[in-house]
Amino acid sequence: MAKSPKVRNPLSVLADDPQGRSLGLDLPPGGLIDRPGRRGWWRESEPLLWVSDEAVGAGALTAYRSPALAAAGLQAVLLQGRGGLERWWQDRELVPDRMSDPGDHHVEPVLREFWGRVVPDPEEGAGEEGDELIAPFGRDWPGLAERGPDGGPDPETAACELADELIVGGILPGPRLALVPAARGADVPTAMGWGGPTNFENDTALISAVLRSWEDRFGARVVALGFDELHMSVAAPPRTSAHALPVAAEHFALSPDNIWQGSGSIRAYADEAVTGCGHWGFWWD
C-alpha cells in the first residue's frame, strides 16, 4: 500500500517567508519554535509554533487574526509570561506528543468525570460547607448548560476587543503574539502541548474538548495562554443567574481553583464571573 503523503505544516512557509506575506500578513520579528523530541539525520525538525521576539500591544490580534489565517490552518493567540517564567514556551514546557486528539472526547463525559473529581467528599469531612460550595447542585453531575442567547457580537470581534482590554488593563502586561497550527482556536492548547492544567489533568485534549463546546454554545474564543492560565472571550454569555449557575458548575468542573481559591461558591462565582461576563479566565494551581 502506498504511503500517504506527509501533510505540510502550515508554519513551514514562515521559514522562507518570515513576515508571512504569502499569508497576507506583515508579522513583527519573531521565530519558529520546533516541536520537542530527538533530532537526527533520519528525522527533520518540525515547527510547533511561531512567537514574536518582543511584546505586542493593543491591536495585535485585530491585525493578525483573520479568516485567511484560519483557512491556512493557523490560529493567532497571545502568550503571557510571568516572573521567573518569562518565556515558558521556550523552556521545554510544551509536550504535544503527550496529548490525545480533542475529537476523540465528548464534552459531557469529560465534564462529568471532572465534576466527580472536584465535588467535596462528605467522607472527608466536607459536610455542610461542601454542600454550600456546590449549591444549588448536589454531588451528581448537573448536566450541560443551555447554549448562550442569540444576538451577541461577532465572536472574533469580541476576541480582539477583549485582547485589547486585557493588554491595556494590565492583565496581560507584555504578551507575545503566537501562531499555532490548529483547525480551531479551542484546539490551540492541545496543538501546542500546553501543560497549564498539568496538576489537574495531563491530557490537554480533554480541556480542548470542553473549549470546543464553549465555542459552539457561547461564542467563546481562546485569546491568551499563560504558564498556567487561560483567557477566553465570550460573545454570548448567560444573561440571567438561572442560566449562569449550570455554566458556573462547568467552570468549577474544569478549573476548581476559580472557586476553591476565588469566589468560594458556585452561586457567588456565577454572579461575579459568569452572568453577562465577556471574559472567562481560568487558572490551575
Side-chain angles (χ1 to χ4, degrees), residues 18 31 51 85 88 103 118 123 127 134 172 174 179 184 193 211 215 244 256 270:
V51 184
L85 291 164
W88 50 266
V118 302
E123 294 184 4
I134 61 174
L172 299 177
L179 302 182
R184 56 192 293 179
L211 304 187
E215 279 187 345

Side-chain angles (χ1 to χ4, degrees), residues 148-282:
D150 295 329
D154 172 70
E156 288 301 316
T157 300
C160 295
E161 290 176 351
L162 177 65
D164 291 350
E165 290 174 16
L166 297 181
I167 293 172
V168 173
I171 295 175
L172 299 177
R176 306 297 182 90
L177 176 69
L179 302 182
V180 183
R184 56 192 293 179
D187 293 353
V188 162
T190 302
M192 287 175 56
W194 180 61
T198 292
N199 291 337
F200 176 72
E201 173 55 56
N202 281 325
D203 186 359
T204 307
L206 299 177
I207 307 297
S208 285
V210 178
L211 304 187
R212 282 182 173 194
S213 182
W214 289 346
E215 279 187 345
D216 297 338
R217 285 185 288 149
F218 303 104
R221 297 291 186 269
V222 174
V223 170
L225 294 161
F227 176 72
D228 55 4
E229 64 187 77
L230 169 70
H231 297 275
M232 301 188 78
S233 60
V234 191
R239 293 174 181 166
T240 67
S241 295
H243 188 187
L245 279 168
V247 178
E250 294 186 25
H251 286 204
F252 178 54
L254 184 83
S255 179
D257 287 328
N258 279 27
I259 291 173
W260 282 340
Q261 300 186 47
S263 300
S265 73
I266 284 177
R267 284 190 189 278
Y269 179 81
D271 290 339
E272 296 169 4
V274 180
T275 307
C277 291
H279 171 210
W280 290 352
F282 305 94

Side-chain angles (χ1 to χ4, degrees), residues 23-39:
L23 299 176
L25 303 175
D26 185 12
L27 293 171
L32 295 171
I33 295 176
D34 284 343
R35 193 178 186 92
R38 294 182 62 185
R39 294 285 175 264

